[in-house]
Amino acid sequence: MRTIGYICDNVPLELIEAAGFRAHRVSARPVATTALVDRHVKPELPFRAARPSLTESILDAILGGRVGPLDHLVIPRGSDPVTEMYVELLLAKRRSPDLPIPTLHFLDRNVWPSEEARAFNGRAIERLRAQLETWAGGSIDAEKLRETIGRHNARRARMRAVTDERARVDRDVAGSAALAAYAMETPRLPDSPAGARRLRLFLGGSEVGDASIYRWLEDHDATVVAEDHGLGQRLGEADADADEEGCPFAAIAARFDKMPGWSASMPLAERARQTVRRATAAHADAAILYVHRHDRLAAWEAPTLKDALADAGIPTLLINEASGDPDLDAESGAAIESFLRENRR
Amino acid sequence: MTLERLASVDAMRAYQREWLESTRAHAQRGGPFILCNSDEFEDILNAFEIPSLVINYWNFVILRSGNARPLQRQLIERGYPGPHFFSLGYATALDPAQAPWGGLPTPRLLVGSSRNDYERRVCELWAEKLGCPLFPIDFNFGSPRATPLPGDWWRTVRTDWRALTDPARVEGRYEQVRAFLNYLERDLGRPLPIADIAAAMERINRQMDIWMEADALIAGARVHPIAFRDQLAMYQAMWHRGRPDGVRLVSDYRDEIAERVARGVAGYAESGLRVLFWSVNAEPDFHAWMRERFGAIIVASPYSAMPAMYARDFDPADPLLALSARHTLLFQLTPEWMVAEAERHRCDLIISSEAIGDHGSVNERAAEAAGIPFLAIPQGTPPADAEQRLERFFSERLGRKPG
C-alpha cells in the first residue's frame, strides 16, 4: 500500500485512507543541529526568520529522508513554520534535485472563523480530494469514506476514554503512557495504579515532538493529566458527522473547518476557553506553559492562557524561550522544580 | 555634515504631520477612525476618505518618540518576549502615558493582520484592549505562501498578476474583502460604491507611475541627486495612495528631482561607489561611516522600486479582484529582483541585511554571477562589527583605501 505522509494534526486521514493510501504522521525528535536545513533551505531564503527546534527538526528529517518511505506528503496550513515548509521543500528540491523529497500537496486553510473561511476551507478539501484521486488513479468512493469516518470516529472515542481515565483523581495515569496510547491504532492505557497521588499538571505552550518532558516530570513526582498540543488529547476531540449535509465529503470539510492545526484556535479567547476546559476537566492541580524559543505564536498566546488559568484557580508557570530540546535546559528545569515544590505544599 | 532636505520631501513630512493632527482631532470629535495593518485595506479606506492609521506607521512614530524601551519592558514584564516592533502599538494601549500624544483615540475597528501568527495574536490583544472589533482578512502577501514565485515575477506583476497569484487565495481574499466592505457600509451608514474604488485605483496607478518616473531620474542621473534619508522619508506618500493629495505630493517630488538632475545637484558631498542596500529596514547606522570613509553612498533599496509593485491593471467594473490579488502578492525579495535593481541603479556593490550562513545565500550567488560584489551585514549587527566587516570588504574585496 502506498503511503502519504502528513504533518500536524488536522489533515483528514479519513480522506487519505478512503483513497486507498496509508496515512503516516511525520514528526521528529527535536535536535539542536539541522545541517540539511542549513545547507539546502537557509541559503535559498536569506531573510528567513529563526524557527522553533521542533519544526526545524521535522524539516531536516524530511530533507534527509528520515521520515520513512513516503510516496507523497501533505503539508497543511498550520502555524507559520509548518506552513512555510511547503515552499521551503520546493525550493530545496529545486536547488538539490537529488534530495529524497516526496511529491507535495499544500492543504490551505483560512484560519479565522467566518462564513468566507468555511467556504474557502471547503474548497481546500475539494482540492485535496482531487489531488488524492489523481495520485490514486481513481475516484474516492463515498461509501468507503463513510467507512473510514466511522473507523476514525471509533478511534477518537477510544482516545476520549483515555482522556477520561487520566481525568480520574483516583487513578495515577502517567502522561507519557497516555501519549503512547493516543498514537495507537486502538488507543488503550496500561493498567494504572489506584490511589497514588502525584502532582497533576496541565501542559500547554509549544508543540512537543515526543514524551521527553512528560517523562522528566514523572521523574519529578508529577504527571501530565491534560494538555494542548497535537500529540495529546486533541487527537480524540471533534468527530466528523458522516451525515453532514447527507454527504461524507461535506463532513470532512466541516471538521477541517473546525479544527485548526497545532491547536492554534482563533480567536485567542476561544483558545483560552479550551485550555481552561481541558485543565479543569482533568482536575489539574497546576499548569505549565512551556514555550520554545522562536515560537512566536505560543509566546503571544501564553500570557492570556496563564491569566485564564489563574482565573480558574489553577496556578501556572510560564516558561519563555526554552530551548525546546528533549533534554530540558538547566534554567527551565530549575524553574519547574521550584514550581513543583511550591505547589506540592 | 547636515544634509539639506528636498523641499518636496519637507512638504511631505509637513503634510503628514498636519494629516495626523487633523485625523486625531476628527477621531476625538467622535468621527470614525480605523486602525489598519499595512497593505490590508487602506486603499479602500483612502478611496472613501475614511480616516485610518497604518499600524506600522504608528509603530515608527512610537519608535521615533524615544519611548520604545519602556514599552518593550512593559511587554517583557507581561510575558511577551521580543522582538517587539509590531507590538509597540499594542504596548501603548497598555500604557497610554508612554505613547505619543497620550495614545490613540479609540478606533471604530481594527483591520488586519494576517501576515503571520504573531501579528494576528497582537492584533487580537490590541483590539480587545481597545474594546473594538477586529477584522483579520486572511492571505496577506506576507502570509506563508501557497506557491513559490518565478524569479522574474516583478516584470509582469502589474499586467499578468493572475498568472503569479494563487487563484484559490485570491478568490478567498476577494470574498473576505467584499464581506468587510458590506460590513463597513452598514457600520458607517453610507454607500461605498465600487466605481469610487475603481477611480481610486486609477489614481494609485497614476501616482505610482509618477513616483517611478522620479526613481528613473534618480537611477539615471550623472550625479546622485538625493540623500537616502529623503528617499525613505518620501515613502510616507504611500499612506495616501489613491488620494488626490498622494498624486500631488509625488508629482512635486518628481519635478524637484528632475530639476536637481538637470542642474547636477548632489544629494551628498561624497561620491564614488554606488550601493544597493537590500533591506526593508531603516537607513543603517553604518551609512554615514561608509560615506565618509570610502565615499560609498546608498543610492537604492527595495523601496526604490516599491511604488511599481502597487500598480495593477484592473477591470473597472470589478477593481476588487485585482486589489485582492495585490493583497496576496505585493512583492518578495527575490535575488533576480535584487540584481535587476542593482543594475538599474548602476550599483557597484550590494549590501544585504541578511543572515550569514556557511553555504552562500541565493542573493550572494546571484550578485556574484552578475559581477556585482556582495556583502551580508545581518540586521542588528553592532555598529563596530558592521564597520569592521565593511572595512575588510572594501579593502580586500574592492581594493579600496579609506579616502
Side-chain angles (χ1 to χ4, degrees):
Chain A
M1 184 183 277
R2 286 184 291 167
T3 302
I4 292 183
Y6 66 96
I7 302 174
C8 223
D9 57 353
N10 67 338
V11 172
L13 310 186
E14 298 92 331
L15 204 55
I16 292 174
E17 289 171 6
F21 295 97
R22 189 176 79 89
H24 171 70
R25 180 153 181 185
V26 169
S27 193
R29 191 164 195 264
V31 290
T33 308
T34 49
L36 294 174
V37 175
D38 292 350
R39 174 177 292 275
H40 299 289
V41 175
K42 288 182 181 173
E44 298 302 303
L45 296 161
F47 298 103
R48 183 176 187 260
R51 304 285 161 79
S53 64
L54 175 59
T55 46
E56 207 72 331
S57 302
I58 293 174
L59 183 58
D60 203 73
I62 297 169
L63 291 168
R66 303 190 305 276
V67 289
L70 301 178
D71 296 285
H72 313 288
L73 177 62
V74 176
I75 299 176
R77 173 123 187 249
S79 64
D80 289 343
V82 170
T83 310
E84 279 158 355
M85 275 187 214
Y86 175 68
V87 166
E88 289 173 352
L89 286 169
L90 291 177
L91 291 174
K93 186 77 176 173
R94 189 174 72 185
R95 177 188 167 98
S96 314
D98 293 338
L99 285 170
I101 299 170
T103 49
L104 305 174
H105 178 78
F106 178 59
L107 176 57
D108 210 351
R109 188 172 186 280
N110 184 321
V111 299
W112 191 267
S114 70
E115 282 293 303
E116 294 75 32
R118 198 155 65 91
F120 181 90
N121 295 339
R123 295 194 292 268
I125 289 295
E126 278 302 310
R127 290 194 298 279
L128 174 63
R129 176 185 173 182
Q131 178 67 83
L132 292 170
E133 289 179 340
T134 302
W135 284 340
S139 55
I140 298 172
D141 178 65
E143 276 315 305
K144 180 75 181 158
L145 182 58
R146 277 184 203 282
E147 182 196 317
T148 58
I149 288 174
R151 188 149 42 78
H152 278 276
N153 282 349
R155 183 163 176 247
R156 281 189 281 264
R158 284 193 289 271
M159 290 182 188
R160 291 196 291 274
V162 170
T163 302
D164 292 346
E165 183 73 3
R166 299 169 75 193
R168 288 178 57 175
V169 290
D170 60 344
R171 283 281 179 272
D172 185 35
V173 177
S176 57
L179 281 204
Y182 292 133
M184 291 174 184
E185 186 58 40
T186 306
R188 187 172 58 81
L189 278 171
D191 290 338
S192 51
R197 190 71 175 92
R198 288 189 279 192
L199 193 69
R200 301 171 64 84
L201 295 173
F202 171 86
L203 180 69
S206 294
E207 292 292 315
V208 303
D210 64 14
S212 302
I213 189 167
Y214 284 65
R215 284 192 286 271
W216 189 95
L217 289 164
E218 286 156 19
D219 289 345
H220 290 76
D221 203 24
T223 188
V224 177
V225 292
E227 64 277 298
D228 187 4
H229 60 71
L231 294 182
Q233 67 187 87
R234 255 178 62 83
L235 291 169
E237 295 175 358
D239 284 343
D241 176 3
D243 289 323
E244 179 108 16
E245 298 170 26
C247 169
F249 293 100
I252 295 297
R255 184 171 188 275
F256 178 67
D257 182 53
K258 283 183 210 137
M259 295 292 290
W262 285 44
S263 316
S265 311
M266 307 286 167
L268 182 52
E270 175 58 24
R271 178 95 196 247
R273 274 191 293 276
Q274 288 172 357
T275 295
V276 170
R277 179 177 55 74
R278 290 182 183 127
T280 53
H283 307 288
D285 300 313
I288 296 174
L289 300 173
Y290 188 62
V291 179
H292 299 172
R293 195 174 301 137
H294 308 308
D295 186 348
R296 307 210 77 195
L297 176 61
W300 277 80
E301 291 173 340
T304 301
L305 305 186
K306 186 180 178 190
D307 289 348
L309 288 161
D311 289 346
I314 300 174
T316 302
L317 172 68
L318 167 56
I319 294 186
N320 265 323
E321 313 256 358
S323 72
D325 299 338
D327 300 325
L328 227 59
D329 56 275
E331 201 179 333
S332 299
I336 294 175
E337 281 189 75
S338 163
F339 178 72
L340 297 179
R341 266 197 309 276
E342 185 67 28
N343 282 284
R344 262 189 216 107
R345 273 188 231 127
Chain B
M1 174 191 168
T2 306
L3 297 171
E4 193 185 329
R5 283 204 182 264
L6 269 65
S8 56
V9 174
D10 255 345
M12 173 71 250
R13 296 169 70 227
Y15 178 89
Q16 183 66 7
R17 279 194 299 271
E18 284 162 24
W19 179 86
L20 276 172
E21 193 44 54
S22 65
T23 299
R24 184 164 165 260
H26 159 89
Q28 282 176 331
R29 287 193 303 271
F33 157 66
I34 290 176
L35 206 49
C36 180
N37 200 37
S38 54
D39 309 307
E40 295 277 12
F41 204 76
E42 68 266 38
D43 308 83
I44 293 175
L45 299 173
N46 284 349
F48 298 108
E49 295 291 347
I50 300 167
S52 65
L53 190 64
V54 170
I55 291 173
N56 269 346
Y57 176 68
W58 175 235
N59 290 332
F60 273 115
V61 171
I62 297 164
L63 207 58
R64 276 199 300 268
S65 76
N67 273 7
R69 235 172 252 272
L71 291 165
Q72 286 165 338
R73 263 201 307 275
Q74 167 114 222
L75 290 171
I76 288 167
E77 279 165 19
R78 285 172 185 254
Y80 299 111
H84 287 122
F85 177 72
F86 185 81
S87 41
L88 285 176
Y90 166 58
T92 61
L94 298 173
D95 187 1
Q98 301 284 353
W101 325 310
L104 290 177
T106 301
R108 184 77 153 237
L109 57 92
L110 198 157
V111 55
S113 161
S114 59
R115 284 191 187 194
N116 55 51
D117 296 333
Y118 154 64
E119 292 191 7
R120 195 182 298 107
R121 287 309 194 204
V122 170
C123 287
E124 283 192 77
L125 292 163
W126 197 357
E128 190 195 0
K129 184 69 192 167
L130 294 170
C132 70
L134 169 68
F135 289 85
I137 303 176
D138 209 350
F139 313 125
N140 179 280
F141 81 96
S143 309
R145 293 189 58 76
T147 46
L149 274 177
D152 61 350
W153 63 271
W154 79 95
R155 294 186 200 280
T156 53
V157 72
R158 177 171 183 159
T159 53
D160 201 14
W161 47 265
R162 282 182 181 82
L164 296 170
T165 49
D166 182 79
R169 283 194 164 185
V170 172
E171 183 184 14
R173 180 95 195 178
Y174 177 81
E175 289 170 353
Q176 293 172 87
V177 167
R178 286 208 74 104
F180 184 55
L181 200 57
N182 290 340
Y183 171 88
L184 266 187
E185 283 189 326
R186 288 194 304 276
D187 188 55
L188 299 175
R190 59 182 271 210
L192 304 173
I194 293 293
D196 290 4
I197 297 173
M201 285 188 63
E202 201 60 69
R203 278 194 299 275
I204 291 172
N205 285 352
R206 196 159 73 245
Q207 180 180 348
M208 301 308 156
D209 287 344
I210 294 166
W211 208 333
M212 289 310 294
E213 285 172 25
D215 188 62
L217 288 164
I218 293 168
R222 186 177 51 79
V223 175
H224 184 66
I226 181 170
F228 186 52
R229 178 196 63 183
D230 278 5
Q231 288 191 62
L232 292 180
M234 195 59 209
Y235 204 75
Q236 294 174 88
M238 200 54 96
W239 313 132
H240 303 285
R241 63 178 179 270
R243 300 177 62 221
D245 282 348
V247 179
R248 178 180 56 75
L249 288 161
V250 298
S251 297
D252 292 348
Y253 174 66
R254 186 259 329 263
D255 293 347
E256 189 177 10
I257 294 288
E259 190 255 344
R260 287 173 72 92
V261 171
R263 290 198 294 121
V265 180
Y268 293 110
E270 304 86 1
S271 65
L273 292 171
R274 297 168 63 89
V275 179
L276 172 70
F277 180 53
W278 198 241
S279 169
V280 290
N281 299 318
E283 183 172 12
D285 291 338
F286 59 73
H287 188 199
W289 179 88
M290 189 171 74
R291 279 196 338 254
E292 286 160 20
R293 193 158 175 81
F294 291 102
I297 56 174
I298 295 177
V299 297
S301 77
Y303 290 111
S304 306
M306 207 71 90
M309 305 307 138
Y310 280 87
R312 290 291 181 280
D313 291 353
F314 64 95
D315 174 2
D318 190 9
L320 288 182
L321 188 62
L323 185 60
S324 301
R326 200 196 74 200
H327 290 156
T328 71
L329 172 58
L330 183 60
F331 71 92
Q332 199 175 350
L333 297 181
T334 52
E336 294 87 347
W337 190 33
M338 177 191 74
V339 168
E341 281 304 288
E343 289 174 343
R344 193 168 67 86
H345 280 272
R346 300 175 290 120
C347 292
D348 302 296
L349 65 142
I350 297 170
I351 298 175
S352 171
S353 64
E354 67 192 53
I356 301 169
D358 294 334
H359 301 285
S361 81
V362 68
N363 285 344
E364 182 175 358
R365 293 199 307 269
E368 297 291 348
I372 306 171
F374 178 93
L375 178 69
I377 299 183
Q379 171 70 5
T381 302
D385 293 354
E387 288 166 14
Q388 205 174 28
R389 279 184 67 76
L390 284 161
E391 183 87 38
R392 206 165 47 237
F393 183 75
F394 276 96
S395 62
E396 292 174 12
R397 176 74 170 85
L398 303 177
R400 294 278 172 152
K401 291 194 171 74

